[in-house]
Amino acid sequence: MNQYVSQRSSSLLVADFSRVLAGPFCTMTLGDLGADVIKIERPGGDDTRSWGPPFVDHESVYYLGVNRNKRSIVLDLRDPADLRVARVLAERADVLVENFRPGTMERFGLDEPTIRPANPMLVYCSISAFGAAAGRELAGYDLLVQALGGLMSITGPDPETPTKVGVAVVDVLAGLFATVGILSALRERDRLGRGQHVEINLMSALLAALANQSASYVLTGQIPRAMGNGHASIAPYDTYSTGEGTLVLAVGNDKQFTQLCDALGIPGLATDGRFLSNELRVGNRALLREHLEHALASNSAGHWARLLPELGVPAGAVNNIAEAFALAERLGLRPIRNTEDGEGLGRQVASPINLSATPATYRTRPPRLGEHNNEIRSWLTELVPKPGSGAASDTAGRPLVDI
C-alpha cells in the first residue's frame, strides 16, 4: 500500500490553500495535533519563502516557523489539470483552509457552496482581512489591521506615538480563532454528520482580542489610549527604573502590594490612604511611581527580580528572546523540540498545547517547495476510477470523485 494512503487512512486530512501567517499558523497547529496537512502552493511558493533575511540554508526563517508537519504540492489553479487535482483534494478533505480575498476561490470553483454537495462532511474555513461583505476588496496585512483595528492607538509610549506590536499578533490571533472554530465544527460534524463553513476575519479577531480595552469602549463609550507599559485598570503594573536597569512589576491585588512595600522597606505606603485599594492606586499612579522608584533605586533590577518573586511579588526583568528561551528551559518547559524525520533544520519552537494522552508531535520539518508532488499525485491517481470501472472508494470507504 502507498505509504501516503496508509497515513491518510488514520489521519484527519487538511487541504491547506492558505499562505503567509494566519492560515499556515492554524494548519500547523492542526498538524501538530496529528492532522495530515497538504500545503497547496502556487508556482513560486508561499510568499513567505522569500521573506528575509534571516535565512537558514537559503530557506526563509519566517516560512520555516509556521509550516512543520505539512506536505507541499505545487498547483497552478489557472491550469485545468492542476485545478482538477485541487478539486479532488477539496472533495476528499476533512478540513479545507483558505485565506484568499473573498471571491477568489469561487472563481476557481473551489468555494464552499460549490464543494459542499460533493463533500457534505467538509469543514471549510475561510480567513479574510475584513470579512466577505463591504470589506471584501480590502487587502489585509497585519500592520494595516493593527492600525485600522485600533491596536496601534493603545500601544506605544503615548497617544502621539502609535506603535505596532513586535510580532504579527493579529495574524496569530486569527489563526488561533480559526483553529478553535475548526475543532468546534469537527465536534459538531461528529455529532450530526455534516460539516459547515467557518469564517474568520482579522478585524473581528483583533476587536475580540482587545478584551478589556474593547469592552471599555463598548460598555462605557470611553476610548482607551496608549499608556506606554502601564495598565488602564491596575497599578502598580508597569516598568519601573531601579538603581540599575528596568524592572517589571505586575501587582494585581492588595496583598501583593503590601508584600511589595514590605520588601522595599516602605511598609507605610501600603496603609497610606492614597494607595489603600487598586482603584486609589490607579488614580494616584504618578505619585505611586515616585515612591516606588525612590525605593527601587537602592539596588539593581537584577537584585529585585531575584528577591521579589521569592516574597510573592510578581516582578521580573525585561528579557530579550534568548533570555526568554533560557528561562523557559530552566523552568522545564522544553521550548525547543526537534522533528522526528532527522533532517536538517529540525529545531522547532514547541507547541504550547500539552495533552496528556495525545501530545503534540513534531514529525517533519517544513517541506521544500513541491517536495511531495509525486507522492500526492500518485495517491490521487489511485483514487481516480478508470473509465468504465464504476464507482470506487478510498481507504475510509467513501465514494471517490471523478476528475
Side-chain angles (χ1 to χ4, degrees):
M1 178 182 290
N2 182 302
Q3 180 183 359
Y4 186 83
V5 174
S6 178
Q7 178 177 343
R8 164 68 189 99
S9 64
S10 60
S11 301
L12 195 78
L13 179 62
V14 177
D16 181 8
F17 286 84
S18 69
R19 69 263 189 252
V20 185
L21 184 52
F25 192 91
C26 166
T27 55
M28 181 181 72
T29 303
L30 295 174
D32 290 351
L33 298 176
D36 185 3
V37 181
I38 298 179
K39 184 176 179 67
I40 298 98
E41 301 190 68
R42 63 175 176 80
D46 189 315
D47 294 353
T48 60
R49 286 184 181 273
S50 64
W51 285 8
F55 296 96
V56 176
D57 290 351
H58 309 293
E59 294 192 83
S60 163
V61 167
Y62 201 119
Y63 165 79
L64 294 172
V66 289
N67 284 288
R68 64 172 173 252
N69 289 333
K70 301 179 186 181
R71 301 165 185 262
S72 170
I73 182 172
V74 175
L75 296 176
D76 183 350
L77 298 183
R78 295 165 298 184
D79 177 83
D82 278 4
L83 182 57
R84 284 196 296 273
V85 173
R87 175 69 182 242
V88 170
L89 283 172
E91 294 180 348
R92 303 312 318 135
D94 297 289
V95 176
L96 184 151
V97 178
E98 59 92 8
N99 62 352
F100 292 104
R101 285 192 188 185
T104 300
M105 292 292 273
E106 183 178 2
R107 290 200 298 272
F108 293 113
L110 294 170
D111 55 306
E112 190 267 342
T114 301
I115 299 297
R116 177 66 58 198
N119 190 356
M121 299 282 281
L122 177 67
V123 172
Y124 190 112
C125 180
S126 299
I127 303 173
S128 65
F130 300 100
R136 62 186 290 123
E137 297 302 324
L138 299 177
Y141 285 91
D142 186 274
L143 173 63
L144 180 62
V145 182
Q146 286 198 36
L148 296 178
L151 180 57
M152 289 179 65
S153 76
I154 59 170
T155 308
D158 53 62
E160 286 69 47
T161 315
T163 305
K164 76 176 183 69
V165 178
V167 71
V169 66
V170 183
D171 277 323
V172 172
L173 289 166
L176 291 173
F177 280 125
T179 304
V180 172
I182 289 168
L183 295 177
S184 178
L186 288 169
R187 176 67 182 91
E188 187 69 2
R189 185 184 79 165
D190 291 342
R191 193 172 73 89
L192 297 179
R194 61 173 180 267
Q196 60 183 291
H197 193 184
V198 178
E199 295 184 87
I200 302 292
N201 69 80
L202 273 62
M203 184 72 168
S204 296
L206 173 55
L207 294 178
L210 289 176
N212 60 298
Q213 298 282 38
S214 53
S216 176
Y217 168 70
V218 170
L219 295 176
T220 71
Q222 297 179 5
I223 301 175
R225 60 183 180 84
M227 299 178 59
N229 295 316
H231 194 291
S233 303
I234 310 173
Y237 197 99
D238 207 331
T239 50
Y240 296 86
S241 297
T242 70
E244 181 183 349
T246 300
L247 181 74
V248 168
L249 294 175
V251 176
N253 57 52
D254 295 340
K255 179 181 178 181
Q256 292 173 352
F257 182 62
T258 298
Q259 292 168 321
L260 170 65
C261 294
D262 289 343
L264 295 181
I266 48 174
L269 200 66
T271 57
D272 188 312
R274 296 166 296 182
F275 310 121
L276 280 174
S277 69
N278 177 72
E279 183 178 357
L280 290 169
R281 293 191 290 272
V282 169
N284 294 290
R285 68 170 72 237
L287 181 59
L288 177 61
R289 173 180 289 277
E290 290 182 18
H291 284 286
L292 292 177
E293 291 190 333
H294 179 75
L296 289 167
S298 66
N299 223 313
S300 68
H303 167 81
W304 297 119
R306 290 187 296 271
L307 175 66
L308 293 175
E310 294 178 355
L311 300 176
V313 180
V318 180
N319 285 338
N320 61 32
I321 301 298
E323 291 166 336
F325 271 89
L327 173 60
E329 288 283 5
R330 292 197 301 273
L331 296 174
L333 300 181
R334 298 185 64 201
I336 298 174
R337 306 293 174 87
N338 292 316
T339 56
E340 300 167 4
D341 57 13
E343 292 193 30
L345 301 178
R347 282 164 57 88
Q348 295 285 312
V349 178
S351 169
I353 301 172
N354 293 295
L355 301 175
S356 61
T358 55
T361 57
Y362 307 87
R363 302 181 300 281
T364 60
R365 69 181 301 285
R368 299 173 183 86
L369 180 61
E371 181 176 348
H372 304 94
N373 279 347
N374 293 337
E375 184 178 79
I376 296 171
R377 288 177 182 275
S378 175
W379 170 63
L380 291 173
T381 299
E382 294 178 26
L383 295 184
V384 180
K386 300 291 191 298
S389 64
S393 62
D394 70 0
T395 56
R398 294 178 294 193
L400 297 175
V401 180
D402 188 352
I403 61 171

